């Protein structure tokens, strides 16, 4: 019916509740040992005094061969190619996890994915950015991830 509006399905509410219920317990979105090279929010650039960069996510540097992995069960909603890298977006009800700067992708749009499933591999710099959103609102990923 052309006049009906899309409704949020009960399955979306269930997944959203389950995702929110796991705050602080989600796995790191990168395999192997890693370091946080830039945090979410405003960051001071080392050596440049008062220069601040705003970060929409967590920038992680992994080991050679590191992979991006899914933090929670969901569906790959979109894959973007930025020319020399890929961005994978996974929907978990109203929450969306975003995996940026991937050199290769091992999933497809519309595919169901599970916690810890490999989404793709990192490039030669072994770095990636991980974003978390509640619909369009950017969230600081740190409180959501297991330490």
């Amino acid at each position: 019916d052309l006049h009906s509006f899309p409704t949020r399905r009960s399955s979306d509410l269930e997944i959203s509740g389950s995702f929110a219920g796991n705050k602080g317990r989600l796995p790191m979105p990168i395999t192997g040992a890693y370091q946080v090279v830039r945090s979410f929010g405003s960051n001071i650039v080392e050596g440049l005094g008062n220069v601040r960069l705003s970060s929409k996510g967590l920038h992680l540097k992994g080991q050679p061969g590191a992979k991006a992995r899914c933090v929670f069960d969901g569906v790959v909603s979109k894959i973007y190619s930025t020319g020399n890298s890929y961005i994978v977006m996974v929907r978990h009800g109203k929450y969306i996890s975003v995996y940026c700067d991937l050199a290769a992708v091992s999933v497809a749009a519309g595919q169901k994915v599970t916690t810890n499933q490999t989404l793709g591999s990192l490039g030669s710099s072994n770095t990636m950015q991980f974003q978390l959103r509640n619909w369009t609102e950017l969230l600081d990923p740190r409180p959501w991830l297991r330490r």
Side-chain angles (χ1 to χ4, degrees):
D1 168 304
L2 293 171
H3 302 288
S4 66
F5 293 95
T7 56
R8 294 185 182 169
R9 298 186 310 275
S10 62
S11 61
D12 278 349
L13 291 173
E14 264 175 58
I15 293 167
S16 298
S18 183
F19 187 90
N22 278 284
K23 185 172 183 175
R25 293 199 293 267
L26 301 177
M28 286 306 291
I30 189 170
T31 59
Y34 67 91
Q35 65 188 68
V36 176
V37 289
R38 193 180 304 153
S39 297
F40 175 81
S42 185
N43 292 264
I44 294 171
V45 179
E46 214 172 299
L48 290 182
N50 295 329
V51 175
R52 293 178 93 69
L53 288 179
S54 181
S55 172
K56 294 179 177 181
L58 212 49
H59 294 256
L60 305 169
K61 182 172 178 65
Q63 303 302 305
K67 307 257 188 269
R69 66 178 175 193
C70 194
V71 296
F72 199 74
D73 295 358
V75 175
V76 177
S77 58
K78 192 114 175 123
I79 298 173
Y80 295 96
S81 171
T82 61
N84 56 356
S85 69
Y86 295 92
I87 298 170
V88 175
M89 300 180 85
V90 178
R91 192 160 170 253
H92 320 274
K94 68 177 182 173
Y95 294 94
I96 299 163
S97 56
V98 186
Y99 310 79
C100 308
D101 311 317
L102 306 184
V105 173
S106 52
V107 291
Q111 180 179 337
K112 280 189 174 178
V113 288
T114 57
T115 306
N116 289 323
Q117 181 173 339
T118 298
L119 301 173
S121 54
L122 277 52
S124 56
S125 68
N126 301 314
T127 58
M128 67 172 284
Q129 183 187 158
F130 174 70
Q131 297 178 7
L132 200 54
R133 297 165 186 256
N134 179 344
W135 289 122
T136 57
E137 176 198 358
L138 280 168
L139 303 172
D140 181 351
R142 270 232 147 116
W144 290 83
L145 298 169
R146 195 184 305 133
R147 305 220 180 254

